[in-house]
Amino acid sequence: MGTQEKFGQNLKKARTNANLTQEELAERAGLHKNYYARVERGEENPSYETIEKIVKALKVKSSAVLPF
């Protein structure tokens, strides 16, 4: 499993722990729901700025989702 896939799994775990749908999280982060879904599946390589938006929307530390 690659880094992108592990990152996506970590995002999904954090999102479900926060009781949010993909659509709710995408809206909070200012992202399109389809783009966020691809990030979570490990199909996209998000920029640092996008990761920051997602982490803030999840209200977690980046270390909680980054796989390294």
Side-chain angles (χ1 to χ4, degrees):
M1 176 182 308
T3 303
Q4 283 178 216
E5 290 86 4
K6 182 63 177 161
F7 176 59
Q9 285 184 348
N10 293 348
L11 286 178
K12 183 175 183 177
K13 183 177 179 182
R15 178 182 57 76
T16 56
N17 286 344
N19 295 314
L20 295 170
T21 65
Q22 286 182 341
E23 188 171 0
E24 289 168 335
L25 181 61
E27 187 175 314
R28 286 185 183 191
L31 304 171
H32 192 280
K33 63 182 179 180
N34 292 339
Y35 176 76
Y36 177 75
R38 290 192 309 270
V39 170
E40 204 172 272
R41 289 193 306 266
E43 297 171 358
E44 291 284 344
N45 189 11
S47 68
Y48 174 77
E49 289 81 10
T50 300
I51 293 171
E52 185 177 26
K53 288 178 184 180
I54 294 169
V55 169
K56 284 182 178 181
L58 284 168
K59 298 180 183 174
V60 297
K61 293 184 177 185
S62 58
S63 59
V65 295
L66 292 175
F68 49 86

